[in-house]
Amino acid sequence: MISSVAPYMGKYKKYTALASVLTTVGIVASVVPYFFLYQLIVPLTRHELPDFQFVVLRVAAIFVCLAVYAIAYSRGLAFSHISAYNTLKNIRISLKDRLENQPLGNIKEIGTGQIKRVFTDDIDQIEILLAHAIPEGIANLTVPCVVILAMFFVDWRLTLLTLAVLPFGAFGMYMMMKAGTALMGDYYESAKKMNNTIIEYVNGMEAIKVFNKDGDSFRRFGEAVRGYRDFTLAWYKVCWPWMAVYNSTLPCLALFMLPFGGLMVLNGTIDLSQLVLVLCMSFSVGPAILRALSFGGKIPQLNYKIAELEKLMNGEPIKAGTKTFEGKNHDVAFKDVTFAYNKGNTDKEQTGEQQVLHGITLSLKQGTTTALIGESGSGKSTLAKLLVHFYDVTGGSISIGGQDITDMSLESLNNQISYVAQEQFLFNTSLYENILIGRPGASREEVLDAARRAQCDEFLSRFPKGIDTMAGDSGKQLSGGERQRISLARAILKNAPVIVLDEATAFMDPENEEKMNAAINEIIKDKTVIVIAHRLSSIKNADKICVLKAGNVIAEGTHDTLMQDCGEYQKLWKASTQAAEWRIS
């Protein structure tokens, strides 16, 4: 467990080591007063009054020890927290970097709620390990072990009587961890389901209200919350009795030693001073042992959380090389491309319906526009997303200018492609900064020109601050069509040689779609363009139209040739035309 976290500690390992030393000094300082207390009690057992100066010095020494304990222990915890929170920062940054290099499908499968929980709650729990369990655990176990060893030199029988309580506490601890671990998977699975359900409920609130699905959606919400409650209570129900056992027995190290030790004093087997000394020593180690073992109950949780974290950290990254773009041109070629969303099995016969693309071979020449059409689920968007390397292909290859996209670094590939999708995410910054994402080094004049060419001027004029207006959370200040025009402005500013338009005009009304098409026609000159559209009238003039059905290319050609030779295209064209002419009667 510690070895999994240690690589992220870096230079802060020395802070954890220093914290362990200081907390050990603090625990030693908290134990020493019991020896001074013993020195004050022993004269009384002999019916002697200790000297006043003797008493004052011992009392003063006790206060000094308590002060040393407070200072050393608090400073130790300060250093351990510095190490812990810097390590958590390093873990989060590393997790972010690794997630960025994983296929988007893997991330979506995990779920937003689960990723949020790992980034916040689960990583925060590691703070217990770094800031407390390591330094405090070392100190609270080391010092008691030394004291117990010293107790054997006083009287081995009293020491064994003192230690006789430990098996009861250890058994309670073991049973608690065993019972809790058995239910831990269900508990965390219910937490994952609740987090994802809550996020789905909030994100889908508009649809819930519009379609009057409050009852159905809230039912799923309530089931997820109640499921988490029930699993939590079930977990604690089996743990509570055993928690009570070890919490009530471990502090009572004198449970057997005091009565039997008293008998030994009465029959003259040992001296009363020996009993007092061992009794004081047992009082000094009891709280420390309990504190050390209290972390034992958290270890299974930490193990589970770190395992979940490692599962995310060690996910198979997307295949990417380190080369820059070395293609001789910007022709795009798909060669026998197969793809299945479940990549755990690449055998076609075994993946069955999970296979999305079946041996796609396409050649897209530089400076031409290729349209991909087909019914929903035919694989159009999947093919486009494979080109921008959102996923790895299951089989076959994709190349630009003869260079396999997996040979390039992701940065080099991204520099060659502009991808405009139906849904575009806008950050809660100004519209200017959202467009600037396309090419961060661009001047303000270039950004304004890109906005103008993307037909953004019309709606920007509504805002008092114009292009410097804040987009709002996920771009909520803009309509769907306006967000698409901002995303198109990004692509115009980027000016990449390969352009993918995935339903880029889906939210446009007819008037604005005409403007958008004019802007698109302006920026796709001499570019390799892939267009995906359900409105077939917008791709009628494409250089090549590819008809997809069930993950296969069944026809290629121009609009005129496909209208003559391809029944599937004729059917799609008829449906598109009827949809365009539909009116409310």
Side-chain angles (χ1 to χ4, degrees), residues 340-406:
Y341 280 105
N342 179 7
K343 293 182 64 180
N345 190 342
T346 58
D347 184 80
K348 295 180 182 179
E349 295 181 359
Q350 294 184 29
T351 51
E353 294 182 355
Q354 295 174 345
Q355 197 83 19
V356 180
L357 300 177
H358 310 276
I360 300 289
T361 297
L362 286 175
S363 178
L364 290 66
K365 294 297 182 182
Q366 178 175 314
T368 64
T369 297
T370 301
L372 305 179
I373 68 166
E375 296 178 342
S376 295
S378 60
K380 307 182 301 295
S381 292
T382 300
L383 205 58
K385 289 174 181 176
L386 288 174
L387 173 60
V388 294
H389 212 172
F390 283 179
Y391 312 89
D392 281 322
V393 297
T394 304
S397 64
I398 303 173
S399 62
I400 300 177
Q403 183 180 8
D404 196 308
I405 62 172
T406 59

Side-chain angles (χ1 to χ4, degrees), residues 30-82:
S30 71
V31 168
V32 171
Y34 288 96
F35 291 93
F36 291 131
L37 183 62
Y38 161 73
Q39 291 180 331
L40 292 174
I41 294 174
V42 167
L44 299 178
T45 63
R46 298 171 182 167
H47 306 286
E48 299 173 359
L49 282 177
D51 181 71
F52 178 75
Q53 185 178 5
F54 178 87
V55 173
V56 170
L57 288 175
R58 272 30 180 203
V59 171
I62 290 173
F63 279 106
V64 169
C65 288
L66 294 177
V68 171
Y69 164 74
I71 295 171
Y73 209 83
S74 61
R75 291 303 300 162
L77 290 180
F79 281 118
S80 69
H81 279 83
I82 291 173

Side-chain angles (χ1 to χ4, degrees), residues 109-128:
E109 185 178 336
I110 295 168
T112 307
Q114 170 71 350
I115 291 176
K116 176 259 177 189
R117 183 174 66 83
V118 171
F119 263 101
T120 54
D121 302 344
D122 288 0
I123 292 179
D124 275 342
Q125 286 294 313
I126 299 175
E127 181 264 341
I128 296 174

Side-chain angles (χ1 to χ4, degrees), residues 34-35 147 150-151 154 276-286:
Y34 288 96
F35 291 93
V147 173
M151 289 168 62
V154 178
V276 171
L277 178 57
V278 173
L279 186 62
C280 288
M281 295 170 82
S282 69
F283 287 152
S284 71
V285 300

